[in-house]
Amino acid sequence: MPEDPPGGRRAVAVWCIGVAVYFVAVIFRTSLGVAGLEAADRFHVGASALATFSLLQLLVYAGMQVPVGLMVDRLGTKKVLTLGATLFTIGQLGFALSPSYGMALAARALLGCGDAMTFISVLRLGTRWFPARRGPLMAQLAGLVGMAGNLVSTLVLAPVLHGVGWTAAFAGSAVAGLVVLVPLVLFLRDNPEGHEPAPARSRGGRGFVRRQIKESWSEPGTRLGLWVHFTTQFPAMVFLLLWGMPFLVEAQGLSRTTAGGLLTLVVASNMALGLVYGQIIGRRQSSRIPLALGTVGVTALLWGSVLAYPGDRAPMWLLVTLCLVLGGCGPASMIGFDFARPANPPERQGTASGITNMGGFIGSMTTLLAVGILLDATGDDYRIAFSTVFVLEALGITQILRLRGRALAREATRARVTIPAPAPAPAPSPAPSPLSSPQPDRASRACPVPETSGNGSQ
């Protein structure tokens, strides 16, 4: 195992370059969320075709996680981030200039492909440049920056779009991709000097992909990380990405402005709780499972309270509480990486992170589709449609409870092997007897014997 990285100012500078790329990627990813009506008018499509944009982007993102993890392990962070920034910038510019629905779909798919390369790369930078004890906090900070990008889309891009129009707003935002590419190419480094990981034994050889995936998946910590990510992330993702606004407006009778304020509250709560979760986990690793399961339990309780509330609409205080609790889903999903990280050596970190990151997006896509199908089948009955949340949460909790014992036991074993016990102190020599003569005997004077280090007086 390589020596723990020292961190420091240079580490912060390099990490900020990487996280700036992720920040821009999230702005591009969520930009369609504030332009749904304009997109429907521009491409002359209905609600189902409009939802295809989000589903396609999630599908590409989730499908790219394991390939991106393998690329990070094999090519390094800088190359993958550079490719990702190039792709999502071209995708955003293509979306701005697309004259047809088909070309716009292709542009969003390209954007999703580039976006998929950013988060795992930022996680890799955190593990390579900072001490292991800082890992949970750096992951939470990366998630916080991503939510800040979501806020920029909501608070900045939306008024710009309404003011200058579709092409100018999206093409202008694409310039941000070029801005972050410059320091990325010039200054970003994969590792601090002297802290390069040991070369992977299978790097460059035949069967590299198969071995990386097999060895990562064989670790219970990787599988536990996937299910933690799956169970915690999707309720907030589904609410923010597609179904939150229709639910609040159509089922709860709120205005679009009020509903938008509640969605912003979810983002703000996510940012605040991210710092809290990171500090707690950084200080007490034993809090990971209680935090994850506690977040899932409180989320299910609030969802059930809103859906089962007597009457047609839940009171505002209950909706506000639900949005505050949904803000904890993002930070709780980061706990999944805190199980996958110690379960895998440095040369498999990218692959393991990619497997873990698939969990939440698989859960989100499944719920997005299930809610849409049930809404069509039940005549827009949100109570029935949103009940799928409880089914997926129950599945995830079952898997977490099944895997946690093996994962934690193996993690503890690896920690004992990695951190050797301190060497025992040398036994002190017996104190000289006060009755013995302090003068050396005649033999000693004739042939002096050097003192050994055992008595501590060399």
Side-chain angles (χ1 to χ4, degrees), residues 6 36 38 57 72 78 91 99 118 161 185 234 274 304-305 360 392 403 408 457:
E38 290 81 359
Q57 197 167 326
V72 170
K78 182 174 182 176
T118 58
L161 177 65
V185 173
F234 79 89
S305 300
L392 267 69
L403 290 166
L408 294 177
S457 60

Side-chain angles (χ1 to χ4, degrees), residues 189-207:
R189 298 292 181 269
D190 288 349
N191 320 280
E193 294 182 4
H195 293 271
E196 294 80 6
R201 56 182 172 82
S202 57
R203 188 183 299 276
R206 297 182 61 182

Side-chain angles (χ1 to χ4, degrees), residues 337-356:
F337 299 102
D338 295 325
F339 287 110
R341 187 185 306 112
N344 293 270
E347 62 269 19
R348 287 207 310 264
Q349 289 291 324
T351 306
S353 296
I355 293 173
T356 300

Side-chain angles (χ1 to χ4, degrees), residues 41-67:
D41 293 337
R42 180 178 178 85
F43 301 116
H44 309 290
V45 296
S48 59
L50 188 63
T52 304
F53 279 123
S54 297
L55 291 174
L56 175 64
Q57 197 167 326
L58 276 182
L59 181 63
V60 172
Y61 189 100
M64 285 293 295
Q65 290 308 295
V66 172

Side-chain angles (χ1 to χ4, degrees), residues 123-139:
L123 289 180
R124 171 91 160 202
L125 284 177
T127 59
R128 289 295 177 84
W129 282 88
F130 292 92
R133 68 181 185 277
R134 298 292 184 190
L137 180 60
M138 303 313 296

Side-chain angles (χ1 to χ4, degrees), residues 32 35-46 50 53 92-105 107 161 164-171:
L32 183 62
L37 297 177
E38 290 81 359
D41 293 337
R42 180 178 178 85
F43 301 116
H44 309 290
V45 296
L50 188 63
F53 279 123
Q92 184 79 341
L93 183 61
F95 193 59
L97 304 176
S98 294
S100 66
Y101 176 69
M103 290 187 65
L105 273 179
L161 177 65
V164 301
W166 179 279
T167 302
F170 280 95

Side-chain angles (χ1 to χ4, degrees), residues 255-277:
S255 66
R256 287 182 175 268
T257 302
T258 304
L262 288 177
L263 295 181
T264 304
L265 182 61
V266 176
V267 177
S269 174
N270 186 302
M271 296 175 68
L273 291 175
L275 293 175
V276 176
Y277 278 45

